[in-house]
Amino acid sequence: MTTTIEAFTGPLAGYRRVVIKIGSALLVEGRGTLKRGWMESVAADVARLRAGGAGVLLVSSGAIAMGRGVLKLPKGKLKLEDSQAAAAVGQIALAKAWAEVLGDHGITAGQILLTLGDTEERRRYLNGRATIGKLLKLGAVPVINENDTVATTEIRYGDNDRLAARVAAMMSADLLVLLSDIDGLYTAPPQVDPNATLIPVIDRITPEIEAMAGGAASELSRGGMKTKIDAGKIATVAGTAMIIASGKVAAPLSRVDVGGPHSLFRAEATPVTARKAWIAGHIEAPGVLTIDAGAVRALKQGRSLLPPGVTRVDGDFHRGDTVIVVDEAGIELARGLVAYDAVDARRIRGQNSTVIENILGAPGRTEMIHRDDLVLKGDLGD
Ligand code: GLU
């Protein structure tokens, strides 16, 4: 390649670490053909980000869409085992194509396939973070997808919007770009409401913003606007700004940089610590603890949740799982890593520590959720 690559100078200038999520509909056409020319234009955009000093990660969908065409699977919703087989076939082609188009710019790609457990379990999360961090340090571009061949319905992300946000938070990226088939977040679904307008900047994801996303799912993308807003919550809490922009044009990032349409979700000014962002961003929360008014006050003062304040335990969870904490009216107050299995939590709820030792037959932890493992909704800006 002889052309010199110039760094961005507009809205995309100055970022240090950028995650770009690319939806299936942008990558695959017809019966499983990759849009190679478009991928080349994205690779050039990646080179421009890197020329400005940013480390770049790609979260690329398209494995299933690609593989189903190659395997001549029927149209419509696929059975789980068919989509797993399709992903196995599609992922090879997808990774190869990214390696080649990035390679044209002298950029090395490294494939990472993640399952839900890799981001939800602390030890695996830390391992994944170390590997991806190493790749970035070595100057490579991690090309990430969900490991769809082994993911089953119960334990999968299913959409790459939230996966990309989880990765962005995990890697302390300062920007997440979701490239999709829509220019950004509209006040109402633009297909049905001609008066819908694009919202250029979202300072905070309020219930009103969430309501706007409600019905805006597009047929082509699996996630639709709802999972994009969920992704925004995971990202912004962790200090990562998020941009939604259309990828239906060549060089979509260059277009944003010269002022093309997009929605920017600003990062929280005071992001919670990486550990708390990890807790808050959990996709799965298998249990719910209901707490009394006294415990609500204690939590708001930054204290731990103790067993006497817990009035009800729902769900089936293990020690270390993320649970949701609600008040007596069922309003979510916090999320945290619970110190007891559900069975024990039920036995000791409402009890004080002297009784607990008798119940459990051994001294247990004093806290149901330690304050270091607890993230209040207030901390999340909503
Ligand atoms: N992981 C899926 C794939 O590669 C895509 C999920 C999504 O559409 O967000 O085909």
Side-chain angles (χ1 to χ4, degrees):
M1 205 148 282
T2 48
T3 48
T4 48
I5 292 284
E6 285 178 24
F8 289 126
T9 52
L12 292 181
Y15 287 103
R16 194 180 37 78
R17 186 169 281 182
V18 181
V19 176
I20 306 168
K21 183 262 171 176
I22 298 160
S24 302
L26 301 174
L27 284 163
V28 184
E29 61 192 344
R31 298 290 282 155
T33 313
L34 284 172
K35 295 185 192 166
R36 185 71 180 215
W38 185 81
M39 292 175 81
E40 283 167 3
S41 80
V42 172
D45 276 350
V46 169
R48 293 189 67 183
L49 279 172
R50 287 165 51 103
V56 181
L57 302 90
L58 293 184
V59 174
S60 177
S61 305
I64 297 172
M66 174 80 192
R68 70 183 295 162
V70 175
L71 292 170
K72 302 195 171 37
L73 293 167
K75 286 208 163 111
K77 196 171 162 22
L78 288 180
K79 282 194 268 170
L80 179 65
E81 57 272 30
D82 284 339
S83 50
Q84 288 174 321
V89 169
Q91 184 63 34
I92 291 185
L94 193 62
K96 177 169 178 280
W98 280 123
E100 286 170 0
V101 297
L102 291 167
D104 287 345
H105 293 274
I107 302 169
T108 304
Q111 176 184 258
I112 304 268
L113 297 177
L114 294 173
T115 53
L116 189 64
D118 295 325
T119 57
E120 307 296 273
E121 281 171 36
R122 188 78 183 160
R123 198 168 47 82
R124 284 160 68 184
Y125 169 89
L126 294 175
N127 279 338
R129 186 168 75 176
T131 309
I132 298 171
K134 187 74 195 178
L135 274 173
L136 288 167
K137 210 166 185 179
L138 292 170
V141 168
V143 177
I144 301 167
N145 197 358
E146 182 161 16
N147 194 353
D148 293 305
T149 49
V150 294
T152 58
T153 352
E154 308 80 56
I155 51 151
R156 72 198 298 249
Y157 274 89
D159 68 89
N160 277 359
D161 293 327
R162 292 177 306 161
L163 172 67
R166 210 65 172 117
V167 167
M170 165 171 165
M171 300 314 298
S172 309
D174 43 6
L175 179 66
L176 165 65
V177 183
L178 301 182
L179 292 179
S180 119
D181 53 4
I182 189 156
D183 281 332
L185 177 66
Y186 282 81
T187 50
Q191 312 89 311
V192 291
D193 185 347
N195 297 321
T197 51
L198 181 80
I199 309 176
V201 180
I202 293 98
D203 284 318
R204 177 158 285 194
I205 302 176
T206 58
E208 201 188 353
I209 292 290
E210 292 196 56
M212 288 174 190
S218 109
E219 262 175 39
L220 289 170
S221 70
R222 189 179 220 137
M225 198 48 80
K226 162 112 182 39
T227 58
K228 291 184 175 45
I229 300 297
D230 288 346
K233 288 199 230 166
I234 296 170
T236 54
V237 163
T240 307
M242 183 175 91
I243 285 178
I244 301 178
S246 173
K248 281 163 76 181
V249 292
L253 297 185
S254 299
R255 182 186 188 225
V256 168
D257 198 58
V258 294
H262 64 274
S263 294
L264 167 71
F265 294 71
R266 285 196 210 283
E268 288 290 329
T270 46
V272 294
T273 61
R275 182 176 158 76
K276 291 210 172 189
W278 173 71
I279 296 170
H282 263 72
I283 307 294
E284 289 181 318
V288 179
L289 304 182
T290 307
I291 63 171
D292 64 19
V296 172
R297 274 196 301 280
L299 253 55
K300 289 193 171 154
Q301 287 162 9
R303 303 224 292 270
S304 299
L305 176 62
L306 305 178
V310 178
T311 57
R312 202 184 143 123
V313 175
D314 291 292
D316 185 17
F317 50 82
H318 295 289
R319 182 175 168 223
D321 282 350
T322 300
V323 294
I324 296 173
V325 181
V326 300
D327 65 12
E328 301 267 326
I331 308 286
E332 180 173 340
L333 301 168
R335 282 175 184 230
L337 304 181
V338 65
Y340 287 97
D341 291 346
V343 182
D344 287 339
R346 280 194 183 95
R347 291 163 71 199
I348 63 169
R349 72 170 168 79
Q351 307 291 344
N352 52 45
S353 50
T354 41
V355 189
I356 290 173
E357 187 166 344
N358 289 335
I359 296 175
L360 297 178
R365 273 178 170 257
T366 340
E367 305 87 11
M368 189 74 98
I369 303 178
H370 191 275
R371 62 190 153 96
D372 291 346
D373 296 336
L374 196 64
V375 194
L376 291 193
K377 280 288 247 182
D379 293 342
L380 309 182
D382 52 11

